[in-house]
Structure formats: C-alpha cells, structure tokens
Amino acid sequence: MGRSEVFEMAPTDEEKCRPLLVVEERLLPTSDSESEGSHVWRETDARFRKIPWAATTRTYASLILRRTAIFLLPSFTHHRLLLARDRHSSSSSSSAKTLSPTSYLDGMRGVAALFVFFCHYFYTSFFIAEGFHYLPPPPKRPDSPSTTSWPTTSQYKSLWRLPFARLLYSGPSMVCVFFVISGYALSLRPLTLSRQRRGQGQNGEGEAAFARTISSLVFRRFFRLYLPPIISTLTTALLLNAGAFEPTRDFVHDRKFMRNVIEHHPPRLASLGSQLAHWGQEMWAFVHIWGWEDHAGSTEYDVHLWTIPLEFRCSMVLFLVLVGTARLRENVRLVVIALLAWFVMRSDRWEMLLFLAGMMIAELDLRRDAHGQREREREGRGGVNAVSVASSSTPALQLLLAEEKIPSPPSVSRRRSVADSFWTLISVLALYLLSCPDAGPSDVPGWRTLGTLIPTWFSEKYRFWQVMGACLFVFCAARSRFWRHIFELPAIQYLGHLSYAVYLMHGPVTHILGYPIQRWAWGITGTEGSAYKSGAILAALINIPLVIWAADIFWRAVDVPTVRFAKWLESKLSI
C-alpha cells in the first residue's frame, strides 16, 4: 500500500468522533439526568485539559501523590519500586559500599534503642523491674513488730525475669550501653588525630586537624541532640492541641488496663497559643543544661527524653577531656583517663563514667590497631613507593604486591581465634551484669552477694552492675568476631540507622495509636487471668511494627536532614 493511499484512507475529524460517540452512546445510562451530567463532566474535563497551567498542575499533583505514597513506605522497600535501570545502578553502587570498622556499634545502638522501647511499652502493663524470685525484706515498722503476715514466697517466677532474657526489656541497662557507645564514637576521631600528630612532624598539620575536628564536634553536638526532639515535641504539642491525645486520656488512668506504671499524658490547654507557650517553656527547661540532678531537663511532652540533656552535658565534658589530654603520651593519657573515671564514679556520676569508659575503650582499640589505621597508612606510603619502584623495575613491583597478599601464618590465626573465643566468653559475664534487676538487687537470688559489693555512696544501687556490664560488653564486642557479625547483620544495621528516631517516636506513637490498639486487643481477649497477657501480645504484634514504621519516616524526614543542616550551617559560618 502506497503512502498516498494511506492519506486517502485517513478519516476526517468528524469521522474520528463518530465511533467514539457510538461507543459512548452504548455506555450511556438510561436516565436523562445522568446522561446530561456525564456530558457536562466530559466537556469540563476537555476544557480543563486545554489550559496549560491546569495540565501542569495535574501532572505535578500526581507526581507529588506518588512520591508521598512511596515516602510513607518503609525505606527498605524503596529499592523494589525503582525502575530496572535505576535498580541496577543502585545495587551496583550499594554493593561497592562496605561496612565501616565501627558499624557494629551502630547495630548495637539500634538493638539498645529497640529494647528501651520494649521497656517503656511493657512496664505499663507488667512489673518488669523485679528479678526472678524477687522477695523484698519485711519492712521495719515500729508499729508492727510482728511480720508474720509478710509473704515468704516470691510471686515473680516468670522465666522472662531470668538473667539474659530480661535484657529484652531492660531499659536502664540499654541506656548505659548508649552512653558507652557515645563516648567511644565521639572520641575515636580526635584520638586518631592525636596519635597521628606524632607522624606529622613540626608543621602543625596534626594540631590543626585535631582543632578543626573538636571545633566541629562541639558546634554540631547541640543540633544533633536537640533539633530532632524539638521537632518531635513540637509535633506532639500540635497534635495534643488538636485532640489526638484525648481518646486515650481516661484509658491511661484505668487500672483495669494499666496495672503498673501510668505514663504521664501531656496536658491539653485551652488554645493553640497557650499550648505553644507551654511547649516553649518546656523546651527552655529541656535545653537548660546546668542541672545535674536526677532526670534534670525532662519534658512533659515526652518523659523519656531525660537522657538527652544528660548526654549533652557528658559530651561537653568529654570534649574538654579530649582537648586536655591531646598532647599527652599514650600511656600517660590512659592513666589520666582512669583517674578521672574513678573520680567521677566516686562522685556518683555514673553517666560521665560511661562516657569516659567509651573513650578509654577507643584508645585501647587504636593501640591494637583494631580499625586497620596503621595498615591503611602503610598502604598509602606503599602506594608512593610502588610508583617509584615501577619506574625502575617491574619485577620489584610484582614482589611488593605478592608480599602484601601473603596470608597470616597459621600460628597467628590460631592465636586470634583463641582470643576471639575468650572475649566472646567474657561477654557472657558482661551480659549477666547487664541483666541486674532494677528492684533489689540484693533481694534477688543470684545477686545477693553482688548486691553487698555495691558501694554505699553509690546512690542508684541497681545501676552499679549495669554500668560495669555495659563497659565490659562494649569492650568485649570490639574483640569478638561473633558479636561484630551479629551487629553487622542488615536488619540490625537498619535498626542502627533508626535508633535515635525509635527513641524519639515510641512515646508519642504509643500514646496516640498504641493505646487504642491495646484497648481494642483487650476488648477481644479480655483482661482476666492469662487473657490479659494474650491481649498485650496481640497489641504488641501491631504496635512494634507501627513504631518502627513511624521511626523510619521520622529518620528520613527529620533526623537525616538535621544532620545535614548542622554540617551546612557549620560550613557557612566557618572561616
């Protein structure tokens, strides 16, 4: 068929419309009113499409809706929604990325944040502070000389109260782990630069790099710690004033459901202005870092955030210690840190002890080259030497590369395996110490002897062995391939990314969405006997993924952007 015939057979515009009109007539409803309405809608839609800005608006609205829907999905599902080309490029780039030497600390932080959430979720329904077979001593009351009515058998016989198992909901122990990790992470880079200063000669490059690093850490620390909770509590204040907390206000005080701790429900004020003014006063107290008393700086909009001012104060003291010990010899610095650790412990400042312990563990890891720093420096110098060797003799270069690929002798590998097994075994002891119950511990079997060893001047008795266990566990995990492998698993690394977001989101999400789900679950199972536990488990199966989903969104919407904002602001204000 020729091209001319094609044009001769092409229908006119009027003929093009006839088949469509016939089809439309077949689909028209029998009602005249519906027919007229459809005709009006089609005519309006056709005119709407002819307007350029309207079509552009429609396109952008569709794009925004699609991106919003994707954004609301968990981040680990996003790669499945990419095009095949983008997915291939993303997978190839992600495969090139490797875990850093301290990635296991991120995973450890993620697990600790999840267990803190479990603590705050279950302690409203169950008595979780008491250890296995906890039996408090009878009270010494002058008006009751006889204690025959005091119980002689313990009611706390659940297997979940045993050591190791209770770590799943031991919030105070996980806070101790948090602080050791923070001390380690904040100290690692400054300590590395302090050690490298010796190889920089007298040109001052090492001191300048150290000064820049400390200055950046001090400047960005406030934004890193305070911006996300300020945003989360502001959102809570707005939702509170909008009435989002009201449906559960009576529920949180109902002893039929809340059988242990009644968490503080934020007050709703009469107007939005008064609510925001009250929030501002709470934030002023929240960032007021001068009080070292217990739970100083906690806020009514999220009672779980009392650790944030505490961590900021400890970070500032740690930076001061890093500056003061930067020019000391390594052995002298270790002795000074040990003396400071003893001083703060004797002063009953357990949180500062944990930060200094993290600094000491980082120093010891650098001494044994746990992160391969000396090896990378040798490779950097070897790269320069290899170029000069290649210009004169290719066999010499081949010999150099062959020497670098020689594996470790069997004796060295055997010693490393024995050391790895040893520290993994010691970590079991650390986990036992971390399992110290919050109630007691001298009244719990297995802890009575250890309870007598707690110093009298240590005010929060239950934290003593938890502090020791946290320091020992982080120390052992850095030397155990088993624990590093566990904490570097993809799912654990995902929790590590969400750790701060989980910490900030689990309170508001539980109060707004979690409590209605609990009420619904207990409405199905009942609250008598074992049915109460069944309802709590049923609600947890929904609430735990719900909190993780909300934390995923908050991490991408707030947490990551605030980190970028702090870096951007520093770059704009720095000289």
Side-chain angles (χ1 to χ4, degrees):
M1 183 180 296
R3 183 176 299 181
S4 60
E5 294 177 345
V6 173
F7 282 106
E8 289 177 358
M9 296 177 62
T12 63
D13 294 340
E14 183 179 356
E15 291 173 340
K16 287 181 181 179
C17 296
R18 287 175 185 171
L20 296 176
L21 292 175
V22 172
V23 173
E24 289 175 355
E25 288 175 358
R26 293 175 183 174
L27 298 176
L28 286 177
T30 55
S31 172
D32 294 338
S33 60
E34 292 181 2
S35 175
E36 293 176 359
S38 301
H39 177 72
V40 171
W41 170 252
R42 287 195 302 272
E43 184 177 355
T44 303
D45 185 65
R47 292 181 179 179
F48 185 81
R49 290 176 179 272
K50 293 180 181 180
I51 304 176
W53 65 264
T56 303
T57 302
R58 184 173 182 176
T59 301
Y60 276 104
S62 176
L63 179 63
I64 291 173
L65 289 176
R66 286 199 303 269
R67 291 190 174 183
T68 302
I70 293 175
F71 182 79
L72 293 177
L73 293 175
S75 58
F76 57 81
T77 65
H78 288 180
H79 72 283
R80 301 181 182 274
L81 303 175
L82 297 175
L83 297 175
R85 174 176 53 83
D86 297 335
R87 189 184 307 170
H88 175 73
S89 61
S90 176
S91 61
S92 61
S93 62
S94 62
S95 62
K97 298 180 180 179
T98 57
L99 294 171
S100 68
T102 57
S103 293
Y104 73 95
L105 292 176
D106 295 332
M108 191 187 303
R109 185 188 291 113
V111 172
L114 184 66
F115 290 173
V116 168
F117 163 45
F118 289 170
C119 171
H120 295 155
Y121 182 80
F122 289 109
Y123 76 167
T124 58
S125 303
F126 305 100
F127 293 86
I128 65 174
E130 293 77 12
F132 185 71
H133 274 278
Y134 168 74
L135 184 64
K140 298 178 181 180
R141 296 175 298 180
D143 56 339
S144 300
S146 175
T147 58
T148 56
S149 61
W150 194 257
T152 57
T153 58
S154 175
Q155 59 177 329
Y156 306 106
K157 300 180 181 180
S158 173
L159 296 180
W160 290 103
R161 301 182 182 277
L162 287 170
F164 307 110
R166 65 176 295 107
L167 287 174
L168 291 172
Y169 54 84
S170 184
S173 298
M174 297 302 109
V175 170
C176 295
V177 174
F178 271 141
F179 286 177
V180 178
I181 295 175
S182 294
Y184 189 110
L186 294 174
S187 304
L188 185 60
R189 178 62 177 166
L191 288 175
T192 302
L193 293 175
S194 179
R195 295 170 64 89
Q196 290 177 350
R197 179 179 53 83
R198 296 176 303 170
Q200 298 287 344
Q202 302 298 326
N203 53 12
E205 294 180 3
E207 285 84 353
F210 178 85
R212 286 194 300 268
T213 299
I214 287 292
S215 174
S216 177
L217 288 171
V218 172
F219 179 84
R220 291 187 288 115
R221 193 59 176 164
F222 175 86
F223 299 100
R224 179 69 188 101
L225 288 178
Y226 277 106
L227 268 187
I230 286 175
I231 295 173
S232 67
T233 53
L234 175 60
T235 305
T236 299
L238 295 175
L239 292 174
L240 178 65
N241 189 259
F245 283 75
E246 297 312 302
T248 59
R249 190 168 296 279
D250 294 333
F251 176 78
V252 297
H253 296 282
D254 193 341
R255 280 301 183 183
K256 178 182 178 181
F257 305 106
M258 301 291 126
R259 299 185 176 182
N260 186 20
V261 176
I262 295 181
E263 277 208 345
H264 177 72
H265 217 54
R268 184 189 185 189
L269 302 183
S271 64
L272 178 60
S274 58
Q275 193 78 61
L276 293 179
H278 181 261
W279 169 82
Q281 295 173 358
E282 288 293 305
M283 288 301 100
W284 174 257
F286 184 54
V287 300
H288 188 69
I289 62 172
W290 309 113
W292 286 82
E293 60 272 13
D294 189 24
H295 289 72
S298 59
T299 170
E300 289 191 42
Y301 290 91
D302 193 344
V303 295
H304 307 137
L305 302 186
W306 62 273
T307 62
I308 303 303
L310 202 64
E311 184 155 348
F312 183 78
R313 292 192 291 267
C314 292
S315 300
M316 295 299 109
V317 175
L318 181 70
F319 295 149
L320 181 62
V321 174
L322 285 168
V323 172
T325 60
R327 297 178 59 85
L328 298 180
R329 293 191 296 271
E330 298 170 8
N331 292 334
V332 176
R333 180 163 54 224
L334 274 177
V335 172
V336 171
I337 297 173
L339 292 175
L340 286 174
W342 176 86
F343 172 75
V344 297
M345 183 179 69
R346 187 60 182 84
S347 303
D348 204 12
R349 294 262 60 95
W350 58 270
E351 66 276 13
M352 195 63 239
L353 171 63
L354 293 168
F355 271 76
L356 290 177
M359 177 183 175
M360 184 176 291
I361 297 172
E363 176 72 29
L364 294 173
D365 281 355
L366 289 174
R367 287 172 69 103
R368 66 185 183 93
D369 196 28
H371 307 137
Q373 182 64 30
R374 289 197 293 267
E375 182 179 353
R376 288 193 297 270
E377 292 176 0
R378 286 195 300 267
E379 289 178 355
R381 293 193 298 268
V384 177
N385 296 334
V387 174
S388 61
V389 172
S391 62
S392 59
S393 174
T394 302
L397 175 61
Q398 295 175 350
L399 179 61
L400 175 63
L401 296 177
E403 290 177 352
E404 292 179 354
K405 296 180 181 180
I406 294 177
S408 302
S411 59
V412 176
S413 300
R414 185 164 52 252
R415 286 196 300 269
R416 289 177 180 174
S417 178
V418 171
D420 180 81
S421 301
F422 173 78
W423 291 117
T424 303
L425 184 62
I426 297 299
S427 69
V428 178
L429 173 61
L431 291 176
Y432 182 84
L433 297 178
L434 273 172
S435 303
C436 180
D438 303 332
S442 57
D443 302 314
V444 180
W447 289 97
R448 291 193 175 103
T449 302
L450 291 175
T452 60
L453 300 178
I454 300 175
T456 56
W457 42 262
F458 201 90
S459 58
E460 298 181 80
K461 305 297 184 184
Y462 68 95
R463 289 194 190 274
F464 183 82
W465 291 116
Q466 294 175 358
V467 166
M468 301 304 162
C471 298
L472 183 59
F473 181 74
V474 176
F475 181 85
C476 294
R479 291 155 175 77
S480 170
R481 286 178 294 179
F482 170 78
W483 286 116
R484 290 200 303 271
H485 174 72
I486 293 296
F487 292 127
E488 289 174 356
L489 291 175
I492 305 300
Q493 287 291 302
Y494 171 71
L495 290 176
H497 295 317
L498 305 186
S499 58
Y500 199 25
V502 169
Y503 190 69
L504 296 178
M505 285 290 100
H506 75 273
V509 173
T510 299
H511 278 256
I512 297 175
L513 301 176
Y515 288 156
I517 292 174
Q518 285 183 327
R519 182 166 49 194
W520 164 81
W522 278 315
I524 295 176
T525 63
T527 59
E528 300 298 329
S530 61
Y532 183 82
K533 297 180 180 179
S534 301
I537 294 174
L538 176 61
L541 293 177
I542 302 174
N543 285 333
I544 292 173
L546 184 64
V547 168
I548 294 177
W549 169 72
D552 191 304
I553 295 177
F554 188 85
W555 169 58
R556 288 177 282 123
V558 177
D559 198 17
V560 174
T562 53
V563 173
R564 294 174 180 170
F565 169 77
K567 292 181 178 179
W568 171 84
L569 184 63
E570 181 189 17
S571 65
K572 294 299 181 181
L573 301 179
S574 299
I575 56 175

